[in-house]
C-alpha cells in the first residue's frame, strides 16, 4: 500500500472485519486501494494536483480524504465477497463518499489539497472560474 496504511482502514472498520473483507490476502487490499485512488482521483484531477496529494504519507495527508479512499476501497473489497456480506453499510458509506467527491468537483466543497502549479513560474494553473475573452474586433468596410 502506498497512500493508505492498515491503521487507516481500522478507522472505518475493525480489524476482524477487515480480515474477512480482504479475505486474509494483503494483495486484495493493495488492489482495492489502487482502484479507489484512481476513482477518487478522477473526481479531483480537474481542480487538484492528485500526484502530489496521493504521494503524501502520515500526518501530511488530508484526514477526510484518507477516510474517503478507505471507504471506497472497502466498498470494492466487499463487492468481491460471496453474497456481499456487509454490503449495506459499505454501500451507504460509498455513496456518501461519492456525493462528497461530486461536491468537490462542482466547487461546493473545497478540501485542503494542493492545486496544480506551473513548474516554471510556481503560479496556480487550475482556476475554478475562467475569465477573459477574445480580442477586440475591428471591422472596416
Amino acid at each position: 500500500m502506498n497512500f493508505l496504511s492498515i491503521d487507516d482502514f481500522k478507522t472505518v472498520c475493525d480489524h476482524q472485519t477487515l480480515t474477512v473483507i480482504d479475505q486474509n490476502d494483503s494483495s486484495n487490499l493493495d488492489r482495492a486501494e489502487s482502484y479507489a485512488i484512481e476513482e477518487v482521483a478522477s473526481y479531483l484531477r480537474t481542480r487538484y494536483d492528485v500526484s502530489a496529494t496521493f504521494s503524501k504519507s502520515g500526518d501530511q495527508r488530508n484526514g477526510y480524504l484518507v477516510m474517503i479512499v478507505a471507504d471506497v476501497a472497502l466498498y470494492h473489497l466487499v463487492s468481491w465477497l460471496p453474497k456481499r456480506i456487509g454490503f449495506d453499510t459499505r454501500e451507504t458509506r460509498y455513496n456518501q463518499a461519492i456525493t462528497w467527491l461530486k461536491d468537490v468537483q462542482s466547487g461546493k466543497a473545497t478540501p485542503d489539497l494542493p492545486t496544480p502549479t506551473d513548474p516554471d513560474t510556481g503560479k496556480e494553473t487550475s482556476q475554478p472560474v475562467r475569465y477573459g475573452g477574445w480580442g477586440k474586433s475591428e471591422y472596416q468596410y
Side-chain angles (χ1 to χ4, degrees):
M1 286 188 284
N2 299 324
F3 183 68
L4 298 176
S5 68
I6 294 294
D7 292 334
D8 296 328
F9 284 104
K10 291 179 183 176
T11 61
V12 292
C13 74
D14 60 14
H15 179 69
Q16 294 167 336
T17 305
L18 183 60
T19 304
V20 170
I21 290 174
D22 76 355
Q23 300 174 21
N24 211 18
D25 185 0
S26 63
S27 65
N28 287 340
L29 205 55
D30 293 338
R31 191 169 53 240
E33 178 190 3
S34 69
Y35 295 162
I37 286 174
E38 182 53 37
E39 185 173 354
V40 170
S42 70
Y43 286 96
L44 302 176
R45 194 170 280 122
T46 57
R47 300 181 133 225
Y48 299 100
D49 186 356
V50 293
S51 60
T53 299
F54 290 114
S55 65
K56 294 181 179 183
S57 61
D59 292 337
Q60 297 174 338
R61 302 170 300 169
N62 181 302
Y64 196 73
L65 185 64
V66 169
M67 184 184 74
I68 293 294
V69 173
D71 279 334
V72 172
L74 288 173
Y75 172 78
H76 291 301
L77 281 171
V78 166
S79 67
W80 299 338
L81 289 175
K83 297 185 181 180
R84 295 181 171 184
I85 302 166
F87 186 73
D88 295 337
T89 303
R90 290 292 122 211
E91 184 178 32
T92 301
R93 292 190 61 94
Y94 174 80
N95 289 334
Q96 290 172 346
I98 296 302
T99 300
W100 181 78
L101 288 168
K102 286 180 180 178
D103 286 346
V104 170
Q105 191 178 42
S106 68
K108 294 177 183 174
T110 53
D112 185 20
L113 298 174
T115 55
T117 56
D118 184 359
D120 297 330
T121 63
K123 291 185 179 181
E124 183 178 334
T125 58
S126 172
Q127 295 290 332
V129 177
R130 292 185 183 187
Y131 56 90
W134 293 95
K136 182 178 177 183
S137 298
E138 293 183 26
Y139 301 104
Q140 295 179 0
Y141 298 102

